[in-house]
Each structure stands twice: as C-alpha cells, then as structure tokens.
Amino acid sequence: AFAEPYKKGIELALEEINAEGGVLDRPLEFIFRDDQGDPGEAIKIAEELMTSEGAAMITGSILSNVGLAIASLAAEKEWVYLAA
C-alpha cells in the first residue's frame, strides 16, 4: 500500500513515454513485484526478473535493508540497479 502512489506515477509516465514512441522506438515496460520487505525475497525476485524476464535494470525497493541487498547482488552480477 505504501508504494501505490509511486506505482501510479510510474504508470502515468509510461503512458506518456510510450504514446510518444517509447525509447529508441520501443515501448517501455515496468514489471512490478512485492518484495514483502524481505531482502531474501527481493534477491529472488531480482534474479528472476533479470534472468527469466529479461529485464534491463532493477529499480525500486522502499526499505533500505532491501535496497542494500539488491545493490550488493547487482554489483556482483554487474546489473544496473537504480536506487532513488
């Protein structure tokens, strides 16, 4: 529930970007998952998104302990992780 305003903002931005042709003529897509505030769950989700879903980068996470876990994994795997 805490992240719902952020999700709505992302969805609005995606609509605008994709209506203008996306990025490099390709639409953007966000895949949303709930890490339940658990670093272990976040790691599992991040690995799934990057390997099985073909995500180009990871972003999100509200809690700092979750963000630190994802940042560590991203550094190890040389993945892009955008933390706000």
Side-chain angles (χ1 to χ4, degrees):
F2 182 77
E4 192 63 30
Y6 299 97
K7 182 179 179 191
K8 289 183 184 215
I10 290 168
E11 290 170 338
L12 286 171
L14 283 176
E15 285 179 28
E16 289 180 15
I17 291 166
N18 289 336
E20 295 293 322
V23 175
L24 300 174
D25 295 323
R26 296 180 65 190
L28 290 182
E29 177 186 4
F30 267 69
I31 302 170
F32 297 96
R33 298 286 188 270
D34 182 1
D35 61 32
Q36 303 169 27
D38 177 4
E41 182 66 16
I43 294 296
K44 184 175 108 183
I45 291 168
E47 288 179 326
E48 175 187 319
L49 290 172
M50 294 300 285
T51 58
S52 300
E53 297 287 339
M57 66 177 282
I58 302 168
T59 189
S61 78
I62 300 294
L63 301 176
S64 59
N65 63 332
V66 173
L68 289 171
I70 295 173
S72 179
L73 175 69
E76 176 187 318
K77 302 284 188 175
E78 298 184 348
W79 294 340
V80 175
Y81 170 56
L82 175 63

